Amino acid sequence: MKDQAAPGDVPAASAPQRLSTRETAERLGVKPETVYAYVSRGQLSSTRAPDGRGSTFDAAEVDALARRTGRREPSPATGDLVFRTGITLIEGDRYYFRGVDATELAGQYPYEEVAEWLWTGVLRPGIRFMAPAEALSAAHRAVESLPAHSGSTDRLRVAAIAAATADPLRFDLSREAVLAGARSLIPTLVEALPLAAGGRSEGSEGVASQGAADGTGAQLARRLWPKLTTRPADEPSIAALDTALTLLIDHDLAASTLAARVAASAHAHPYAVVSAGLGVLEGPLHGAASGLAHRMLTEVLERGSAVPVVADHLRSGRRVPGLGHRLYISEDPRAQALFALLADVPQAARALAAARDVVTTTARHAPLHANVDLALAVLSVSSGMAADAGETVFAVSRTAGWIAHALEEYGERPLRMRPSGQYTGPRPPQPLPTATDVPPRSSYGPHSAQR
């Protein structure tokens, strides 16, 4: 159970961000002199800087002007794609949702409240997302038609598409319509998933009766639990699952989020935006990475030590799953928060010890710290979940983040993400191909997981 917040603990909207003249010019893609020309024409307001030197400008007003003038995104010196976002900041081995420490939010508020706050800036205690009957019926039928061996992300993608067909107003991209669709899509994805192992657990019956009794539906984590495992749900385990959902809502422009923003840039409807994110999430270097950590942790428990398991990975040239993150020097803060909660779950003790053994053993070879994949693996292994359970948690959770990014992108200049390709093929003119031509085999270089 999450601690109840005092009235003064509600995340407040931060003060409007102020930009210097130089920062304003960079956002607009113009020279500083042009900024003052905008001021003189009444297109931009300025305030004298506190030190009396220069002026400051309201960031929201600058962004609105940038959209009206249709400026092109300035190219960063690094050559990497950079997009302004007010959702997540990763800095100093911590990460923040709209300026608030994300791990503190996850420890204080449940998933649905944090998602709603991230979208709207308003905290709504006790909010529950509900699946419309028509959308849920369509999603159920579509998911049930899939082969038995289908993975959880297969089912989620199909459920999202089916829910879209049940929403004739899905092309309405107004903020109110997008938010209404998001509040219904997330629970539809959860409810469309089959019960774990095809049976009904004691915990799932309790969840169903609770939702029917109060007419509002149970907390999303409680509804998701019986889809992941047949074991009864205890409060510490539900708290851990809910926290995992909250921690994973967003993580800056990860690969799936970038895909979602590209779709939103083309003014695809929210269901298509989520489908784009799900398509990328399934990669083994992204959302599916927790499944690799699950299998490794299971093997460590079976063999009684991390040493032979880590040695096998190193001998075969494979990365040790669940370790290291390109954005953090020390331990992933999401892993820290989840490990702390799992320490209160008695049945997680062995898996938690095995995870620590993996970290300690690998440290002899490379100073890598645990990431959120390893923490998700502890949760899934100790709760009797399938290997892809972490991927399911990740997908359901990140749907809220994709919607937040879509809301931002709908306010930007459409189709702005159009990089130019650097052609490296043979120069024309080339002769027409013949049946004997054999294309060269593609080669794949090393990659690292990016969450």
Side-chain angles (χ1 to χ4, degrees), residues 65-427:
L65 175 61
R67 290 192 291 270
R68 293 198 303 273
T69 56
R71 54 77 182 99
R72 293 186 65 83
E73 296 290 329
S75 298
T78 61
D80 294 331
L81 287 174
V82 175
F83 300 107
R84 294 189 300 274
T85 175
I87 300 172
T88 300
L89 170 68
I90 301 176
E91 185 176 75
D93 272 356
R94 307 298 298 172
Y95 77 118
Y96 306 86
F97 292 159
R98 300 205 184 280
V100 180
D101 189 293
T103 59
E104 292 182 12
L105 277 168
Q108 194 74 29
Y109 303 102
Y111 171 77
E112 289 151 293
E113 292 182 17
V114 174
E116 180 74 18
W117 173 78
L118 196 67
W119 295 334
T120 68
V122 176
L123 190 73
R124 297 175 59 188
I127 186 172
R128 294 288 182 266
F129 298 157
M130 300 301 295
E134 187 175 0
L136 184 54
S137 177
H140 265 306
R141 290 196 302 271
V143 169
E144 288 173 356
S145 69
L146 294 175
H149 64 263
S150 300
S152 63
T153 305
D154 294 326
R155 296 185 173 102
L156 291 172
R157 283 204 305 269
V158 168
I161 294 169
T165 64
D167 183 1
L169 304 180
R170 61 187 179 277
F171 297 102
D172 182 352
L173 302 186
S174 66
R175 186 175 184 83
E176 294 74 18
V178 172
L179 288 173
R183 295 182 188 113
S184 66
L185 174 59
I186 293 174
T188 297
L189 295 178
V190 171
E191 298 292 351
L193 291 172
L195 291 167
R200 178 171 293 274
S201 69
E202 178 184 339
S204 67
E205 292 173 356
V207 169
S209 62
Q210 177 182 342
D214 61 20
T216 62
Q219 181 184 6
L220 194 78
R222 292 184 181 277
R223 284 180 275 171
L224 179 59
W225 180 269
K227 312 291 184 171
L228 303 175
T229 178
T230 57
R231 293 186 183 178
D234 56 81
E235 289 305 315
S237 296
I238 289 295
L241 177 58
D242 181 73
T243 298
L245 287 167
T246 308
L247 291 168
L248 291 167
I249 285 179
D250 191 56
H251 206 235
D252 196 28
L253 287 175
S256 58
T257 302
L258 179 59
R261 287 197 78 128
V262 171
S265 181
H267 283 188
H269 56 72
Y271 301 89
V273 168
V274 171
S275 294
L278 287 169
V280 176
L281 186 80
E282 195 174 18
L285 303 181
H286 194 19
S290 62
L292 301 177
H294 175 107
R295 294 181 179 91
M296 176 198 66
L297 207 58
T298 299
E299 186 179 359
V300 171
L301 289 170
E302 291 173 349
R303 300 177 71 170
S305 172
V307 174
V309 178
V310 170
D312 286 347
H313 277 77
L314 297 178
R315 185 180 300 113
S316 61
R318 292 174 291 158
R319 294 175 59 254
V320 180
L323 300 181
H325 196 290
R326 61 186 299 179
L327 299 180
Y328 300 112
I329 297 175
S330 58
E331 192 171 63
D332 185 335
R334 300 169 297 178
Q336 289 179 345
L338 202 47
F339 282 149
L341 279 177
L342 289 168
D344 295 330
V345 180
Q347 62 267 30
R350 289 185 66 241
L352 194 56
R356 296 302 188 196
D357 190 15
V358 169
V359 174
T360 302
T361 301
T362 309
R364 305 174 192 172
H365 169 75
L368 296 175
H369 299 277
N371 62 35
V372 73
D373 294 321
L374 190 59
L376 285 173
V378 172
L379 173 63
S380 59
V381 169
S382 63
S383 302
M385 299 176 181
D388 65 352
E391 183 179 345
T392 305
V393 174
F394 196 115
V396 170
S397 168
R398 192 59 61 89
T399 298
W402 295 331
I403 294 297
H405 281 273
L407 288 167
E408 279 194 337
E409 195 58 42
Y410 288 147
E412 295 286 351
R413 177 173 53 83
L415 295 174
R416 65 192 180 119
M417 301 180 195
R418 182 61 174 87
S420 298
Q422 184 176 7
Y423 180 72
T424 60
R427 296 298 305 171

Side-chain angles (χ1 to χ4, degrees), residues 285 319 443-448:
L285 303 181
R319 294 175 59 254
S443 60
Y444 296 87
H447 299 279
S448 60

